[in-house]
Amino acid sequence: MRYARIIGLGKYLPPKVLTNQDLEKIVDTSDEWITTRTGIKTRHIAQDKESTSAIALPAARLALKRAQLSAKDLDAIIVATITPDNQFPSTACYLQHYLKAEKAASLDIAAACAGFIYALVYAQGLIESGIANNILVVGAETLSKLTDWEDRSTCVLFGDGAGAAVLSSGRKKSFLASSLGADGSYGELLILPAGGSRLPTSKKTVKEKMHFIKMKGNELFRLAVRIMVDAAKDALKKANLDSTKIKLLVPHQANIRIINAVATRLKLPSHMVYLNIQRYGNMSSASTAIALCEAYEEELIKKGDIVVLDAFGGGLVWGALVIEWV
Ligand code: ACO
């Protein structure tokens, strides 16, 4: 049998940092409100010229270097993003070109905050079925470019960044089980209304700011906790494990109150839950990618550990993945 495993992780954050104090000067908000309601203190913001593929590139290069693999060895590149460089070509194709990954089939996956987990599981399928040997999976977002900087209910939440994982085949099972799902009936809760075939961009859509993220935060909050707990439990059950076996939970970083509620329901103490929301805010698909990379860099993950990735996002979509680190 051949099994998928992660052999290299990378990340990149654009250098510009926006603090809560900076936001106090832009909208009617306060460091106190943002900190207590979300847990966020700072976030990184891409410059005008920094597209999603541009910030994905250094993350991908670092992951390849750590995997000791050349881009020429890649059979596929999957970029999870809801902030692509363009509708088409895909962000993955830009990345393929920059990396000179000559034989890599390349595509984007749009599964919002669960995108990195979706992409890992799809890559697992390609590797374990024998279709591919080496795959680069990236979660990269420039949410700041779709943010209405006059809307205090959303602009304080999001940040930009990219995380990358190189997957290859091995002889020991590492991705023990996963749980992916979707419920499109909740699509309106988190949506970019204009710019697609439903509502093409026009002077009217721009005037009405329909090209910016619209979110019903309250309703999402209530669903998020239940969905993340259910997804994690389902994936653990499929792996014949329970939450007592988890070494580290790496959750999507949307709101510290969501993360704490999920941890409580899974009976996990705070030191077993990875947190970087205070530094980066919600970076959609890049959140779990960067969190996994940083947890590894901080030596919180070692061989034999059970690590659970867990996320939900606009769509709605959700995903949990149980990994035994090999
Ligand atoms: N500063 C100060 N006050 C604010 C701000 C702000 N930045 N934003 C909202 N408020 C006010 C509201 O106007 C409201 O005032 P009112 O009571 O006078 O009407 C009050 O604060 C409470 O607003 P709520 O929306 O009820 O605040 P809540 O505690 O729910 O927190 C938040 C809002 C942080 C958005 C929360 O609901 C949340 O995190 N939701 C989930 C978000 C999420 O997970 N998104 C999905 C993933 S993202 C993805 O897929 C890309």
Side-chain angles (χ1 to χ4, degrees), residues 29 33 37 113 152 190 215 217-218 254-255 257 282 312-314:
T29 192
W33 191 96
R37 297 291 183 117
C113 309
R152 70 175 182 175
L190 183 58
M215 186 177 83
N218 250 321
N255 187 313
R257 292 182 293 140
N282 178 352
F312 80 100

Side-chain angles (χ1 to χ4, degrees), residues 33-109:
W33 191 96
I34 302 169
T35 306
T36 53
R37 297 291 183 117
T38 72
I40 302 165
K41 283 288 192 186
T42 57
R43 65 289 288 147
H44 289 244
I45 303 292
Q47 299 294 298
D48 289 349
K49 284 185 184 160
E50 283 176 313
S51 65
T52 297
S53 65
I55 66 168
L57 182 62
R61 284 198 170 129
L62 182 58
L64 281 165
K65 189 176 163 207
R66 288 173 171 170
Q68 298 180 314
L69 226 59
S70 153
K72 292 183 176 37
D73 299 322
L74 292 173
D75 301 306
I77 297 173
I78 307 178
V79 176
T81 187
I82 50 166
T83 50
D85 287 32
N86 301 89
Q87 286 275 3
F88 60 88
S90 70
T91 304
C93 281
Y94 283 113
L95 195 56
Q96 180 274 336
H97 173 60
Y98 300 152
L99 288 169
K100 300 190 176 62
E102 288 154 11
K103 63 184 178 82
S106 303
L107 89 167
D108 292 355
I109 283 185

Side-chain angles (χ1 to χ4, degrees), residues 27-30 33-34 37-38 82 112-114 143 152-154 156-158 190 213 215-221 224 252 254-255 257-258 282-284 312-314:
V27 286
D28 179 14
T29 192
S30 65
W33 191 96
I34 302 169
R37 297 291 183 117
T38 72
I82 50 166
C113 309
L143 289 166
R152 70 175 182 175
S153 71
T154 53
V156 302
L157 303 174
F158 301 119
L190 183 58
I213 298 167
M215 186 177 83
K216 295 192 175 118
N218 250 321
E219 289 167 60
L220 272 174
F221 192 104
H252 175 49
N255 187 313
R257 292 182 293 140
I258 295 175
N282 178 352
M283 300 176 289
S284 189
F312 80 100

